Amino acid sequence: MNIAIITGSGGLIGAEAVRFFSNKGFEIIGIDNDMRRIFFGDEASTAWSQKKLESEIANYTHYSEDIRDKTAMKKIFEKYNNDIKLIIHTAAQPSHDWAAKDPFTDFTVNANGTLTLLELTRQYCPHAVFIFTSTNKVYGDTPNNLPLVELETRWEIDESHPYYKNGIDESMNIDQTKHSLFGASKLAADILVQEYGKYFNMKTVCFRAGCLTGPGHSSTELHGFLAYLMKCAVVGKHYTIFGYKGKQVRDNLHSYDLVNAFWEFYKNPRVGEVYNIGGSRHSNCSVIEAIKMCEEISGRKMHYCYSDRNRIGDHIWWISNVNKFRSHYSNWGYKYDIKSILIEIEKNFRNMNIHE
Ligand SMILES: NC(=O)c1ccc[n+]([C@@H]2O[C@H](COP(=O)([O-])OP(=O)(O)OC[C@H]3O[C@@H](n4cnc5c(N)ncnc54)[C@H](O)[C@@H]3O)[C@@H](O)[C@H]2O)c1
């Protein structure tokens, strides 16, 4: 039997991974305690997603447990043992702003939770592939020191810079920078994931993602940028742009394209790897460009205002260079770009018939 353990299985990436890997014939063990509701309130609960998975996916078993609970995690690993071929670890506290409110919860979920899962993998299924959803915030605010130029609707890196053509690669320094507490807890986890590869020769990988998105996001103001923006457009909800004139650039990757990258890695795993992954030059936008696209796609004028106060740790310009991953896994490519992502999200909200 091939078992995949997927933590954060009700979340954007977790739920996409459940569907994808169940289609590939895996028995799926999902772990999610709907902590997203505790972080961000009812609007962000992923209970709906969990229920959907349980009703739609025959080979799915859900455990409503906390990844910090070592006893509960041990029971799961003990039970499935060497049948576990894959661990996809997506459960996390995902917001900068929230982390500063409760650093202990943030750190224990993001760092200690990851350590617990790594150590149980080592003890019970050391040959399994361990995939960790890391973040570009491990580079802190170092990208903000790049030579940026202001264009009409976005910040852009100076054309003479080596990052101009393909974006920021894995050689960027992770040290001596402001990460935010969220970035620090994710970096601690990222280093541990690398170390279990390098030290114990396990098949571990960190995907350092830019913005991840898709209709499966239980979006809210503090997390889930594109889906939240489109939600505001569709329901006529007010949106606040925080800092940088709304010209900050993010690259956006559909959850499907990320999970498809997991599949490529699983088929031909490496040890202690690190990849930047994101929409790259292929799929990106500034906040004000995204607002314009949301208006065009939804056919509705958005209500928004501007606050001078930028989010601490926010990147002014981030484009992921995905060439390292592509050079190792040449089968992988994008199914979505920014426009097709937004069209899909809008359609999903319209079908849900949601109101403010
Ligand atoms: N969404 C993004 O833009 C983005 C960008 C870069 C990296 N990431 C990383 O990717 C991963 C997945 O992101 P996402 O957008 O799918 O997040 P998400 O919040 O949609 O999903 C995470 C899930 O984990 C669950 N969870 C949280 N703490 C838990 C705990 N202690 N025990 C059990 N379950 C718990 C939540 O209830 C939620 O359902 C995260 O690790 C995040 O840091 C996300």
Side-chain angles (χ1 to χ4, degrees):
M1 192 166 33
N2 283 348
I3 299 239
I5 292 190
I6 301 180
T7 72
S9 51
L12 170 74
I13 303 307
E16 186 81 58
V18 170
R19 293 200 161 82
F20 188 104
F21 284 91
S22 104
N23 277 334
K24 298 287 180 200
F26 284 80
E27 289 287 316
I28 312 286
I29 305 305
I31 303 173
D32 197 315
N33 62 352
D34 196 13
M35 201 146 172
R36 191 170 168 91
R37 188 178 67 78
I38 294 167
F39 298 143
F40 309 124
D42 289 344
E43 176 187 43
S45 166
T46 52
W48 65 272
S49 167
Q50 177 204 323
K51 282 200 199 98
K52 219 161 169 278
L53 293 175
E54 284 180 297
S55 69
E56 289 172 4
I57 312 286
N59 48 356
Y60 178 76
T61 308
H62 190 86
Y63 288 83
S64 202
E65 302 286 358
D66 193 316
I67 56 161
R68 292 172 297 175
D69 182 342
K70 284 192 206 142
T71 313
M73 291 304 108
K74 185 164 184 266
K75 271 195 197 148
I76 295 173
F77 277 79
E78 232 166 24
K79 180 164 178 195
Y80 298 104
N81 217 296
N82 258 321
D83 286 338
I84 304 168
K85 300 293 185 297
L86 170 65
I87 296 97
I88 299 179
H89 174 33
T90 80
Q93 188 301 107
S95 153
H96 294 291
D97 296 350
W98 197 93
K101 285 199 288 193
D102 186 346
F104 277 99
T105 300
D106 175 75
F107 196 85
T108 51
V109 171
N110 289 352
N112 298 36
T114 303
L115 178 58
T116 297
L117 295 163
L118 283 166
E119 184 51 23
L120 289 170
T121 302
R122 184 170 82 91
Q123 285 173 23
Y124 291 98
C125 46
H127 301 296
V129 171
F130 190 104
I131 294 174
F132 175 59
T133 44
S134 187
T135 165
N136 60 9
K137 301 303 179 321
V138 299
Y139 300 110
D141 61 4
T142 296
N144 292 354
N145 300 326
L146 292 168
L148 300 177
V149 286
E150 186 177 353
L151 305 183
E152 199 182 326
T153 60
R154 60 163 60 200
W155 295 98
E156 185 48 87
I157 191 165
D158 191 275
E159 279 186 33
S160 63
H161 197 278
Y163 291 152
Y164 178 77
K165 186 159 178 246
N166 295 312
I168 299 171
D169 65 25
E170 297 80 2
S171 64
M172 179 167 267
N173 196 356
I174 54 171
D175 199 9
Q176 299 286 306
T177 174
K178 193 197 284 176
H179 293 91
S180 83
L181 291 167
F182 159 75
S185 62
K186 290 292 282 192
L187 178 55
D190 180 303
I191 300 278
L192 283 166
V193 171
Q194 290 185 57
E195 203 56 36
Y196 269 69
K198 306 283 184 210
Y199 197 94
F200 296 118
N201 206 29
M202 285 165 54
K203 291 171 255 175
T204 67
V205 60
C206 300
F207 282 96
R208 293 178 171 169
C211 269
L212 302 174
T213 189
H217 227 175
S218 306
S219 55
T220 180
E221 187 173 23
L222 286 188
H223 194 244
F225 157 61
L226 266 193
Y228 182 69
L229 194 64
M230 186 56 96
K231 190 196 271 179
C232 291
V234 171
V235 304
K237 193 172 176 169
H238 190 266
Y239 184 83
T240 306
I241 301 170
F242 290 101
Y244 303 126
K245 304 184 187 172
K247 295 184 179 184
Q248 55 273 56
V249 169
R250 289 119 200 246
D251 66 349
N252 295 276
L253 184 68
H254 192 285
S255 46
Y256 174 85
D257 286 331
L258 178 64
V259 172
N260 199 21
F262 295 170
W263 173 234
E264 292 302 323
F265 184 86
Y266 174 78
K267 287 187 292 183
N268 192 10
R270 301 166 71 103
V271 165
E273 266 298 357
V274 168
Y275 299 109
N276 286 356
I277 196 88
S280 74
R281 283 285 181 199
H282 172 77
S283 172
N284 60 79
C285 59
S286 72
V287 177
I288 53 177
E289 288 166 357
I291 288 176
K292 188 157 177 279
M293 280 188 273
C294 286
E295 289 183 333
E296 279 165 12
I297 291 166
S298 69
R300 302 184 66 156
K301 204 91 200 110
M302 286 196 69
H303 310 290
Y304 58 90
C305 66
Y306 178 72
S307 160
D308 261 342
R309 200 169 37 88
N310 63 276
R311 290 213 161 101
I312 299 174
D314 207 9
H315 289 153
I316 307 174
W317 181 87
W318 178 273
I319 299 284
S320 315
N321 181 333
V322 299
N323 286 358
K324 179 180 174 194
F325 185 73
R326 283 193 128 148
S327 72
H328 290 180
Y329 299 97
S330 55
N331 278 339
W332 182 79
Y334 294 103
K335 182 173 168 198
Y336 290 87
D337 63 9
I338 184 79
K339 191 148 182 222
S340 53
I341 290 171
L342 279 169
I343 288 172
E344 196 185 277
I345 294 175
E346 195 266 347
K347 190 168 163 214
N348 181 60
F349 281 134
R350 232 176 336 107
N351 290 343
M352 283 163 70
N353 205 8
I354 49 165
H355 304 281
E356 198 180 353

